[in-house]
Amino acid sequence: MFENKRERERLLREEIRHKILLVNVDRSYPKMGNFYLAAKEAWRVNENRAKEVDYVCAVYQNIICKTFRPTKWYRFPENGNRWGFDGDSVNHSIYDNKDVGHLVNWVGGNPVRFL
C-alpha cells in the first residue's frame, strides 16, 4: 500500500497542535478494509485521557492514514475495560500521510499511544 514509504514526511513533535490518540490498525485494517471501522474500537485506554483527545488517527505501517474527530466515547459491550468511539472523518487533516514511526514504539501489545 505504501511503496514510497521513505518519501513520507515525518510528523514532528512541534507540529502537533492537538491532543491525539494514535491507533495502530496494522492487524485490523486488512480484515476490515476501512480505516474508521479498524480504528473505532475496542481499545484499552484511560477513559479520562481518551475523552480529552481532539483527534484519533488510524496508523497503518507507521503512517497516519485517516484522522477522526471523536464525538462520543463508549465502553465496549463485550469487555468493560475497553473503549470505542463514534466520530467524524476529518478531511485534509494536517496529520494525514505523516510518518510517526520515530515518535512511537508499538512494542508491548497495546496498539494505542497518546501524543
Side-chain angles (χ1 to χ4, degrees):
M1 179 173 195
F2 297 109
E3 296 81 21
N4 298 323
K5 186 175 177 183
R6 289 188 179 99
E7 297 174 19
R8 298 288 175 172
E9 185 178 344
R10 287 180 161 199
L11 177 63
L12 304 176
R13 285 214 181 266
E14 52 270 18
E15 294 176 307
I16 301 170
R17 301 181 200 146
H18 305 91
K19 292 182 181 180
I20 298 174
L21 176 63
L22 299 178
V23 178
N24 183 323
V25 297
D26 284 359
R27 290 186 180 179
S28 55
Y29 175 73
K31 295 174 194 169
M32 298 180 171
N34 178 298
F35 286 115
Y36 179 67
L37 295 177
K40 73 174 280 162
E41 61 190 16
W43 311 112
R44 284 189 184 165
V45 294
N46 177 285
E47 173 185 5
N48 295 326
R49 283 187 78 186
K51 289 181 176 180
E52 289 179 358
V53 301
D54 300 306
Y55 298 113
V56 176
C57 297
V59 178
Y60 185 72
Q61 297 178 355
N62 287 325
I63 306 295
I64 296 176
C65 295
K66 194 66 188 151
T67 301
F68 305 98
R69 182 177 293 112
T71 56
K72 175 185 169 188
W73 287 92
Y74 57 88
R75 280 191 196 275
F76 193 64
E78 284 79 30
N79 185 333
N81 295 330
R82 294 178 181 261
W83 287 83
F85 73 94
D86 291 327
D88 301 315
S89 179
V90 177
N91 293 324
H92 311 293
S93 167
I94 61 172
Y95 304 111
D96 287 351
N97 299 311
K98 298 280 181 102
D99 188 324
V100 294
H102 62 290
L103 294 176
V104 295
N105 179 355
W106 297 111
V107 177
N110 193 356
V112 297
R113 298 291 185 271
F114 290 92
L115 292 182

